[in-house]
Structure formats: C-alpha cells, structure tokens
Amino acid sequence: MRKAQHPASDDIELVAVMSALGDPIRLGLVRVLSDGREHGWGELRAPVAKSTLSHHLRVLRDAGVTRTRQEGTRCYVMLRRDDLDIRFPGLLTAVLSAVNQGDIGAQAYLG
C-alpha cells in the first residue's frame, strides 16, 4: 500500500474543496466524520461498492478535506476541520449546517 499524500494546510485550494464537497456521498462522509474522531475505513458505510467508497475518500483526501493514516493493513480517516477552519473560516460550519438541514448524504453512516 502506498503512503497517502495530503496537501499542506496552506496548499488547500477552495476550488478543490468545493469540488470534493459537490457529491452527496462525499457530503455524507464529511457529515459522519464531523464528530471529530478518527474512523477506520471499515466503519464507514455508503450505498456504493467498496472501490467507489475508496474513490470518494481519495477525492476528499486529495482536496485536503480529510487526512488518512495507515496502520499496518488498516486505514483511518478524519476530517481536517482545524485546517479547513483556518484556511476558509466558516465554510465547513455552513456546509454541515446545510447538509443537516437538507438531510443530504444521509445514506452515509458508521457501521
């Protein structure tokens, strides 16, 4: 397994973040990860194939929305809330508020 690459905090771009958040499955994953905890990939559930879930997690990671950590054969993911709040104040709060009000991404959950 390759080591995950993450953009540095200062290199996170608004267009990349907004693009990554432009999918209901990814919005649901962000909602699930907004609890501030690190979660194993095996805990995350969505109505897509595992390879598609992996793709969605990679898009979020590449945009700087999440951080992935590998431990042996297991991978863990967490929301980069602090980095996003420093780089784009209020953005994540507004997105999560809209997601929760509109019940967007409700199909993603912890299993």
Side-chain angles (χ1 to χ4, degrees), residues 6-58:
H6 306 89
S9 299
D10 291 340
D11 294 335
I12 297 173
E13 297 179 1
L14 181 61
V15 171
V17 171
M18 296 301 288
S19 178
L21 296 176
D23 180 273
I25 297 291
R26 291 194 289 268
L27 282 171
L29 292 169
V30 168
R31 181 185 52 77
V32 167
L33 295 170
S34 70
D35 66 1
R37 295 181 40 232
E38 181 180 67
H39 294 281
W41 282 20
E43 296 176 58
L44 302 172
R45 300 286 184 264
V48 294
K50 287 183 182 181
S51 61
T52 304
L53 179 59
S54 179
H55 165 76
H56 285 303
L57 290 168
R58 180 179 177 192

Side-chain angles (χ1 to χ4, degrees), residues 21 30 79-81 84-85 88 90-97:
L21 296 176
V30 168
L79 190 62
R80 292 178 67 177
R81 185 171 204 133
L84 292 169
D85 286 344
F88 310 110
L91 175 65
L92 197 54
T93 300
V95 167
L96 288 169
S97 176

Side-chain angles (χ1 to χ4, degrees), residues 72-93:
T73 59
R74 295 194 171 133
C75 289
Y76 299 89
V77 63
M78 68 182 301
L79 190 62
R80 292 178 67 177
R81 185 171 204 133
D82 291 343
D83 291 339
L84 292 169
D85 286 344
I86 289 168
R87 189 84 169 113
F88 310 110
L91 175 65
L92 197 54
T93 300

Side-chain angles (χ1 to χ4, degrees), residues 96-111:
L96 288 169
S97 176
V99 165
N100 289 328
Q101 287 177 1
D103 204 29
I104 300 166
Q107 65 272 31
Y109 61 96
L110 290 172

